[in-house]
Amino acid sequence: MSRYRLSDEDLKYAVEFRANPLGTPSPGLQRVLNLLRGGPKKGKYVLIVKEPFRRWNLGRMPESRGEPIEIISEIEYTDLAEAEWDVFKRRWKESTGQDLEQELA
Amino acid sequence: MTRILAYTDRISVAPGGSVQVKVSCDGLDHYHARLIRVIQGDVNPSGPGYREEVVDLDLGGPIPGRFQPIHAGSYGIVEGAPPLDMGKSFSMQALIWPTLPGCGPQTILSYEDPNSCAGFRLYMDAAGALAFQVTELQGNSDSISTGSPLFAQRWYLVTGEFDADSRTLTVFQVPQISTPKVQDRHKNSKVSTIGTFEAGSDAVIMIAAHSGCERPALEHFNGRIEAPKIFTRLLDEYEKVNPGTAEDRELIAAWDFSVGISTDRIIDASENQLNGLLVNLPARGVTGHFWNGDEHCWKNNFDHYAAIHFHDDDLYDCEWETDIEVKLPDSLKSGVYAVHLQSGSEEYYTPFAVRPPRGTRSAPVAFILPSASYMAYANNRIGIDVPETEIVTGRLVQMNPIDLFMQTHPEIGLSFYDVHNDGSGVYYSSRLRPIVQMQPRQIGHLGGVGSNLWQFNADTHILGWLDQLEQPFDVITDEDLENEGGQVLEGYKAVITGTHPEYYSVGMLDGLQSYLNAGGRLMYLGGNGFYWRVSFHPTLPGVIECRKSEDGIRVYPPPPGEFYASFTGEYTGLWRRNGRAPNELVGIGMVSQGFDCSSPYILTEASRDPRVSFIFEGVEGPVVGDYGLSGGGAAGLELDATNHAWGTPPNTLVLATSERHSDLYLMTPEDMDDPAPGLGGSEAEIIRAEMVFFETPKGGAVFSTGSIAWCGSLSHADYNNDIARITGNVLQRFLDPTPFPVM
Ligand SMILES: [Fe+2]
């Protein structure tokens, strides 16, 4: 679990991530990702495979073994980069309260 | 995809033999079954394409579907107990070390008629306090609790008794260490509202569970139980406070778990000899109440290892009925096969090897199907239980239907990558249960950007490559190597490993070493191989033990005093901690892992050595393998490199090395003696795969790639690429009987 906290200094890393969500991150972006991707199991965003290599729903993990994974069927992706950016924005908002699209506009 | 589940009784069968397929259907009337040969299991549209070959063999059907349950949870069962009633006083006693008190009622010791459920039991109630219950024939029951919850990971002497004179029930819990401000020593008594019961001639005694009327066992205990006893008398105060002091008078049974630690039997030391059976393999060879650190091996002081650790999620053998018996044609060629079961869109593959008949070979090449490693990873919950999987793979975790299924069906059992519900480590893993990840078409979590395959399905990249080469090969499983040793490999011109043969028993290692000693040629086409020591059970089929002692990459450390395998008494852990580092066998050993992107290799100066010119015929270099289905490169996922200190032979040539990895690649803990900054793949020099070659004394040789991702590159550009060329060149030379020069 990361103790790092996001600040406006990190917006440049959000720009880096948006440009290439599947690329090799710079050390600064890696630190941001360690925080955003490093949360506990409960509520963690995951992708639910609808069609392998082609279509995914957003999902969220439950806390314990035996409980079903929540499938958010109204949110669908056909591109993994798009999915990564969408989840990045959701987590950024949950962490800072900031709407990244507005911040970066 | 998960409404049909199945497993086979065997993982390796010769032509003419038969395989029993055990199937469970969830709400499906009928299904169809066929035998297929697995050729290429990768369904990635950018890959070589899924391929299987149907064997012309009628398996009957359509076959009616039926549901077969999985009852997880371990316990001991003793049949033929003498009748008891409430005409005479009786008592039950045990030492316990609970791990999940307060998580539902959990039975310590029960004596019940399984038909009527009449009887009595000593247990922890839902709040985690010691309780004692009597149930009469009509189902009415009365119970008493201390009302004082037990603490987890603390030894207690617990007693429950019925006094026939005063008609009272009493419970008494005595912590073995008294702790200021902790009030967990409690006694409670009451007059019983139940006058009598007759748990007659059919009564069974259960340890760590009680007999349910609908299922074999209920309300499993989590934690350790030691020296459970039943008396037909009351115990005095001294006997109730001091473990091991109860005199052997009027004893019905006194089980001594320090006897037969390697077995699934429990022995009653009383005259009645009420010996019993353990179901679902609870952990043995674990420290008990008397363990004090003086002795670390259970074989040297049984008294200190007189406890058994029970878990409500232990699972050994589902014990399903057989639905299909597949009689294999005598002419069936060796290979990896599967029975494919299908009903509409629901399907399941249950794979096994068809090996050549014992003592024969049907091809010049043997592929060792790493079935012990498949068992080690069987139904691993890395994708669903471990939140760090996203951070170590560097991308969102994708949940496939098998993951959704495993999340809601934990009863399917655990792997060496999981912990039990009580947080303790998993010591045993079996294949006598559906292994949903061991199927063609399945996608994993650690296989890197691209196809993301792991273990069984990743190994089909090798099967597909051999098939397109039209290279005849035999398949030998780890279990064959364990059972028959080096003999099973004798005479093969070349032996090929899987992508990740991580788990090896001493028998398997000896077998492979003796093949090499005799001049054999080995192609190690993977990474993190020959890493953990495992033990097969001497008599129980289909199960291995692994305790990850000392260090190594692991999800849990076994606690102190538990570094010896209960199955065999072997010291466990890394092979390099057991004096047989993989570097001695294959020149290289594990140095790093990372699960995002893989890298290319760069050929070294040594690749131009005339000793290895055959390997690089048609290869330009210096960069090779900057493509592939397992992370986009040939060097990735788990990496091995040379280390002369760990036994890399001095004649080893390092032919190529990967130079750059992402910072998600990290050093192994066993190499991190003194942590310092710069441990990631972009900085730490140790993090690299090394492709090596060396000759062995009798004209044999070893070629190792040092990367799990290697075989994901074989099919690139329709198998027309440097990785396929290098691998094929090695295979061709290894098939040539001309000895490799010794001088
Ligand atoms: Fe592994």
Side-chain angles (χ1 to χ4, degrees):
Chain A
M1 216 68 107
S2 171
R3 66 150 66 103
Y4 190 68
R5 291 296 166 260
L6 298 175
S7 72
D8 285 351
E9 292 293 298
D10 294 304
L11 284 168
K12 58 180 178 288
Y13 300 122
V15 172
E16 179 191 340
F17 189 80
R18 182 178 59 179
N20 189 4
L22 304 176
T24 301
S26 67
L29 173 56
Q30 185 67 56
R31 184 170 58 185
V32 169
L33 292 171
N34 289 348
L35 171 74
L36 295 181
R37 289 173 170 165
K41 176 170 169 178
K42 185 177 161 60
K44 189 152 198 146
Y45 289 111
V46 292
L47 296 179
I48 312 294
V49 177
K50 284 190 88 173
E51 207 185 318
F53 304 96
R54 287 195 176 92
R55 236 150 39 93
W56 300 265
N57 281 132
L58 186 63
R60 295 194 90 158
M61 292 303 285
E63 185 169 24
S64 309
R65 285 179 183 168
E67 300 168 354
I69 299 173
E70 183 196 348
I71 302 172
I72 306 168
S73 41
E74 58 277 14
I75 302 174
E76 187 180 299
Y77 310 104
T78 53
D79 177 76
L80 286 176
E82 173 207 349
E84 289 287 351
W85 175 237
D86 183 52
V87 171
F88 187 95
K89 285 186 293 185
R90 288 168 187 276
R91 288 173 172 164
W92 188 285
K93 178 138 203 192
E94 285 161 20
S95 186
T96 64
Q98 284 179 338
D99 184 326
L100 259 186
E101 294 285 8
Q102 274 174 22
E103 295 295 321
L104 302 181
Chain B
M1 197 167 285
T2 47
R3 290 172 65 197
I4 309 182
L5 298 174
Y7 64 95
T8 57
D9 62 333
R10 301 159 74 184
I11 190 73
S12 180
V13 202
S18 53
V19 183
Q20 318 260 336
V21 187
K22 291 131 192 307
V23 184
S24 176
C25 289
D26 181 6
L28 302 171
D29 279 354
H30 291 89
Y31 58 90
H32 296 270
R34 54 197 194 127
L35 181 64
I36 61 129
R37 189 166 69 87
V38 179
I39 299 174
Q40 179 79 256
D42 189 347
V43 295
N44 185 348
S46 318
Y50 180 83
R51 272 199 309 142
E52 62 182 37
E53 180 183 86
V54 181
V55 177
D56 184 18
L57 183 68
D58 184 9
L59 301 184
I63 301 162
R66 59 167 159 180
F67 180 72
Q68 305 208 63
I70 298 173
H71 296 299
S74 58
Y75 56 96
I77 182 161
V78 179
E79 277 160 349
L84 271 180
D85 56 51
M86 290 171 87
K88 197 170 185 311
S89 299
F90 59 84
S91 52
M92 290 177 141
Q93 190 183 54
L95 275 159
I96 64 167
W97 190 78
T99 48
L100 285 175
C103 295
Q106 296 176 44
T107 315
I108 299 161
L109 188 53
S110 67
Y111 176 104
E112 281 170 332
D113 178 341
N115 303 312
S116 65
C117 292
F120 54 94
R121 64 189 168 107
L122 186 64
Y123 64 108
M124 286 191 301
D125 64 17
L130 183 70
F132 191 56
Q133 183 178 55
V134 181
T135 304
E136 48 113 354
L137 216 52
Q138 280 71 39
N140 301 317
S141 66
D142 192 18
S143 62
I144 181 163
S145 164
T146 61
S148 166
L150 301 169
F151 284 80
Q153 276 97 9
R154 192 165 154 90
W155 281 104
Y156 295 87
L157 183 63
V158 294
T159 307
E161 63 186 14
F162 170 70
D163 182 336
D165 294 335
S166 61
R167 314 302 294 170
T168 50
L169 298 170
T170 299
V171 276
F172 193 7
Q173 64 190 47
V174 182
Q176 293 303 293
I177 299 173
S178 69
T179 306
K181 315 235 182 245
V182 174
Q183 301 288 332
D184 57 350
R185 177 175 167 141
H186 272 275
K187 188 179 194 175
N188 202 4
S189 295
K190 71 183 275 196
V191 174
S192 171
T193 58
I194 304 291
T196 183
F197 73 85
E198 287 167 49
S201 48
D202 291 334
V204 296
I205 297 169
M206 284 182 146
I207 297 159
H210 74 98
S211 60
C213 292
E214 336 68 70
R215 44 178 291 156
L218 290 176
E219 297 176 354
H220 296 271
F221 187 77
N222 287 286
R224 297 182 182 192
I225 298 178
E226 178 168 341
K229 295 175 181 178
I230 304 176
F231 298 86
T232 47
R233 67 175 173 92
L234 301 175
L235 301 180
D236 66 31
E237 196 73 4
Y238 187 79
E239 290 174 317
K240 280 189 240 180
V241 170
N242 298 290
T245 62
E247 284 178 38
D248 289 351
R249 286 182 297 111
E250 294 167 85
L251 197 57
I252 287 191
W255 292 278
D256 181 355
F257 297 159
S258 76
V259 180
I261 283 175
S262 293
T263 72
D264 61 348
R265 307 275 147 171
I266 46 174
I267 303 300
D268 170 19
S270 83
E271 284 175 358
N272 293 329
Q273 295 183 37
L274 290 175
N275 301 334
L277 194 65
L278 292 169
V279 178
N280 281 332
L281 291 179
R284 301 191 79 170
V286 298
T287 56
H289 165 63
F290 293 101
W291 188 76
N292 59 7
D294 281 354
E295 185 51 65
H296 287 253
C297 175
W298 59 264
K299 286 182 298 183
N300 297 336
N301 192 342
F302 296 118
D303 292 347
H304 286 196
Y305 291 86
I308 294 179
H309 195 134
F310 296 89
H311 305 95
D312 64 2
D313 52 6
D314 281 321
L315 178 64
Y316 165 46
D317 184 347
C318 289
E319 296 185 2
W320 287 355
E321 303 288 336
T322 297
D323 294 87
I324 310 167
E325 176 156 358
V326 182
K327 171 94 172 62
L328 300 175
D330 292 329
S331 58
L332 198 62
K333 75 169 179 178
S334 181
V336 177
Y337 289 80
V339 175
H340 179 232
L341 310 162
Q342 186 164 31
S343 176
S345 61
E346 295 289 330
E347 62 173 356
Y348 195 86
Y349 290 87
T350 179
F352 56 90
V354 174
R355 53 161 296 177
R358 200 171 173 141
T360 70
R361 289 184 311 280
S362 50
V365 178
F367 170 66
I368 304 177
L369 189 78
S371 55
S373 294
Y374 300 162
M375 276 158 74
Y377 272 97
N379 296 334
N380 75 76
R381 306 176 72 84
I382 293 169
I384 51 180
D385 272 9
V386 185
E388 292 81 11
T389 297
E390 179 178 352
I391 214 166
V392 306
T393 59
R395 58 200 191 280
L396 285 161
V397 175
Q398 298 189 29
M399 298 296 171
N400 283 286
I402 56 166
D403 302 309
L404 302 180
F405 174 81
M406 286 204 305
Q407 173 59 29
T408 47
H409 292 84
E411 72 274 10
I412 199 155
L414 302 170
S415 76
F416 296 148
Y417 293 83
D418 306 307
V419 291
H420 287 288
N421 286 332
D422 69 0
S424 62
V426 175
Y427 289 169
Y428 314 121
S429 185
S430 109
R431 58 169 174 75
L432 298 174
R433 54 176 171 144
I435 302 176
V436 294
Q437 293 155 337
M438 192 176 76
Q439 298 186 71
R441 296 185 187 275
Q442 289 306 333
I443 298 167
H445 295 288
L446 303 178
V449 169
S451 296
N452 204 357
L453 306 189
W454 199 248
Q455 287 288 11
F456 178 82
N457 209 16
D459 288 339
T460 71
H461 283 153
I462 302 176
L463 304 178
W465 169 70
L466 288 166
D467 196 79
Q468 86 47 69
L469 279 181
E470 298 181 22
Q471 172 63 53
F473 63 99
D474 283 349
V475 177
I476 305 289
T477 67
D478 285 349
E479 284 189 32
D480 300 313
L481 193 53
E482 162 73 9
N483 295 335
E484 294 161 47
Q487 255 185 335
V488 79
L489 300 177
E490 234 172 64
Y492 285 108
K493 297 209 165 61
V495 167
I496 299 176
T497 72
T499 56
H500 190 19
E502 177 177 358
Y503 291 81
Y504 256 67
S505 68
V506 67
M508 290 161 58
L509 205 52
D510 286 347
L512 202 48
Q513 188 69 61
S514 74
Y515 168 74
L516 281 179
N517 292 350
R521 287 90 187 263
L522 178 64
M523 296 173 71
Y524 167 37
L525 299 186
N528 183 224
F530 320 100
Y531 190 63
W532 293 113
R533 181 174 192 159
V534 294
S535 317
F536 285 83
H537 194 277
T539 55
L540 298 172
V543 63
I544 54 174
E545 176 169 6
C546 182
R547 302 192 184 193
K548 299 186 170 179
S549 67
E550 294 200 41
D551 55 14
I553 297 179
R554 52 191 181 163
V555 292
Y556 67 90
E562 296 182 17
F563 289 7
Y564 287 82
S566 64
F567 284 2
T568 56
E570 291 168 279
Y571 188 69
T572 63
L574 296 177
W575 270 114
R576 89 174 198 185
R577 295 270 180 217
N578 279 268
R580 295 182 74 175
N583 310 60
E584 294 176 30
L585 183 79
V586 291
I588 51 178
M590 167 75 157
V591 291
S592 176
Q593 66 179 27
F595 302 102
D596 55 342
C597 294
S598 303
S599 304
Y601 288 81
I602 315 294
L603 300 188
T604 62
E605 194 59 34
S607 70
R608 288 197 277 272
D609 190 304
R611 281 162 63 198
V612 291
S613 53
F614 69 91
I615 298 178
F616 297 102
E617 257 167 52
V619 176
E620 291 268 316
V623 176
V624 296
D626 53 349
Y627 42 78
L629 300 166
S630 302
L637 309 179
E638 300 189 15
L639 309 177
D640 298 354
T642 55
N643 188 333
H644 291 279
W646 287 109
T648 297
N651 62 336
T652 303
L653 292 176
V654 177
L655 311 175
T657 175
S658 60
E659 290 184 353
R660 291 171 82 178
H661 291 276
S662 78
D663 281 328
L664 299 186
Y665 281 74
L666 293 163
M667 282 175 64
T668 62
E670 62 269 29
D671 280 332
M672 210 186 309
D673 295 320
D674 189 5
L679 299 169
S682 69
E683 293 175 79
E685 219 173 318
I686 191 173
I687 294 175
R688 82 254 184 238
E690 285 183 335
M691 184 203 302
V692 304
F693 170 84
F694 62 95
E695 300 88 349
T696 56
K698 286 199 171 156
V702 175
F703 171 78
S704 301
T705 64
S707 157
I708 291 182
W710 179 272
C711 297
S713 302
L714 288 169
S715 65
H716 179 74
D718 203 15
Y719 294 97
N720 190 7
N721 66 76
D722 284 338
I723 297 299
R725 215 162 284 131
I726 290 168
T727 321
N729 287 344
V730 172
L731 178 61
Q732 286 319 305
R733 174 61 185 89
F734 280 15
L735 289 172
D736 176 351
T738 311
F740 283 93
V742 178
M743 291 306 286

